[in-house]
Amino acid sequence: MGEEEAQYPLDLLTQQQELFLTKAAAAHAQTAATSAGAAAKGTLLHAALGAILVVEVILGAYFTRELWLPLLIQATPTVEAQVVPQVKTETAIPIDTETPYPAETESATPSTPVLTPLFATESPVAESTPNAPRENPGKHLGQTPGAPNAPGQDEDKGNNKDNNNKDKKP
Amino acid sequence: MDDKILLAAIRKLDADALTAVFEQYAPLVFKYSLRLCRDPQEADDVVGEVFSRLLDALTQGKGPQKNLRSYLYQTAYHIIIDDTRDRTHYTPLDGHFNQPASEDLPPEQAEERRQFLLLHKAIHTVLTQDQKHVIVLRFLEGFDLRDTAHILGRDVNNIKVIQNRAVAKLREALLYETRE
């Protein structure tokens, strides 16, 4: 129905096409640059947010340490240090397991008690008659006549003690 | 090239796809605009504006989603409505195209041309703007009712009503012209 007469003039068509493609190229370049910048900005933003998050966690833990630190210490099992006694082998006292205690020697007389130097007597105690009074009731105890009694000893008690000690055999 | 493939390519601002789109639809948009503007220079400006807006929409991630042709015609329609509403200048179609004069055409084609010119005159003289657009899109550009409604931003039923009224007016005008 006569539609063929409405043809686009070639010069106008060519000119419009050049303008359109030039603008399209510029838009494409701008879009590519915007995408690259947005991607870089996004990456940088993510990194910054990650760093801020880490700092926040550290600061939060630091300022709340009074709350969680005691709990952490309480929950942590402790290992007590075991003190091992040091045995000095150089100065160790040899243990004589063969010799029974106390050591019995041949020179020791049964009737003569072995006394320490503190209680050493000048001479062995002579056998006395049962009824004969003691000249020196405390003599066998190493007490010189006239010497004061040992502390805590009375004459009577000393006599009794003498009799008791005498009867006792080592 | 299929419209779907073209749409996918032009969204990426592919140069070859954009060239193909222009070569395919620029003459159609020009023809449509010329039918409404009746001025080749104005129609050429409309074509340039249509494809410029297409690029702007694609750059912003917008633009046509399914029907590229409908989108281009819709853009042209809005441009014509905004810019040529108060247009009063009218140039006869014969004076601006490299078309043979009616006297040089065979009788059958000459009669068809005369009928077309009468119709074209009636469209621009007796129809309203909406009726004009509906007639051009429906009967001269070959759009269906749904696409026409989409281009004009109206309901399909509304398009039907407009079309019926426009056809009645044109029939009355053509009968009047024929009688004369």
Side-chain angles (χ1 to χ4, degrees), chain B residues 117-162:
Chain B
L117 291 177
L118 283 175
L119 176 63
H120 203 271
K121 180 181 177 182
I123 288 173
H124 289 282
T125 57
V126 299
L127 297 181
T128 64
Q129 289 290 331
D130 292 338
Q131 293 173 348
K132 187 192 308 182
H133 289 291
V134 169
I135 292 298
V136 169
L137 289 171
R138 285 284 289 124
F139 299 107
L140 299 182
E141 298 295 334
F143 283 99
D144 58 5
L145 281 170
R146 190 173 63 179
D147 289 339
T148 303
H150 176 70
I151 292 171
L152 300 182
R154 293 176 178 271
D155 186 44
V156 173
N157 293 328
N158 192 11
I159 297 299
K160 288 182 180 179
V161 171
I162 296 174

Side-chain angles (χ1 to χ4, degrees), chain B residues 6-68:
Chain B
L6 270 178
L7 280 173
I10 64 174
R11 285 199 193 96
K12 301 177 183 178
L13 298 179
D14 181 67
D16 295 334
L18 291 171
T19 303
V21 166
F22 187 87
E23 290 178 352
Q24 181 176 354
Y25 291 105
L28 298 177
V29 174
F30 176 82
K31 193 181 298 184
Y32 169 69
S33 302
L34 186 62
R35 291 193 177 106
L36 297 174
C37 304
R38 296 190 294 175
D39 185 2
Q41 189 61 46
E42 200 166 342
D44 178 63
D45 295 338
V46 172
V47 170
E49 186 65 22
V50 166
F51 285 91
S52 177
R53 291 189 182 186
L54 174 65
L55 275 177
D56 294 339
L58 293 174
T59 304
Q60 297 173 4
K62 301 175 182 178
Q65 299 298 323
K66 295 180 179 179
N67 194 334
L68 176 59

Side-chain angles (χ1 to χ4, degrees), chain A residues 1-9 12-21 23-25 27-28 30-31, chain B residues 12-13 18-19 22-23 26-27 30-31 34-35 44 47-48 51-52 55-56 59 97 99 113 116 119 140:
Chain A
M1 197 173 176
E3 293 181 0
E4 62 274 5
E5 68 271 12
Q7 293 293 332
Y8 205 156
L12 295 179
L13 178 63
T14 304
Q15 187 178 1
Q16 283 291 352
Q17 186 171 0
E18 288 179 2
L19 289 173
F20 173 69
L21 294 179
K23 186 176 180 179
H28 186 271
Q30 184 179 2
T31 303
Chain B
K12 301 177 183 178
L13 298 179
L18 291 171
T19 303
F22 187 87
E23 290 178 352
F30 176 82
K31 193 181 298 184
L34 186 62
R35 291 193 177 106
D44 178 63
V47 170
F51 285 91
S52 177
L55 275 177
D56 294 339
T59 304
F97 297 99
Q99 298 297 327
R113 183 177 177 82
F116 173 75
L119 176 63
L140 299 182

Side-chain angles (χ1 to χ4, degrees), chain B residues 72-105:
Chain B
L72 294 174
Y73 274 78
Q74 184 180 15
T75 305
Y77 165 76
H78 288 294
I79 293 172
I80 293 169
I81 290 296
D82 294 340
D83 297 341
T84 64
R85 182 171 300 174
D86 297 329
R87 177 178 53 84
T88 57
H89 176 70
Y90 166 72
T91 302
L93 293 174
D94 291 340
H96 291 79
F97 297 99
N98 295 327
Q99 298 297 327
S102 301
E103 298 79 18
D104 300 331
L105 292 174

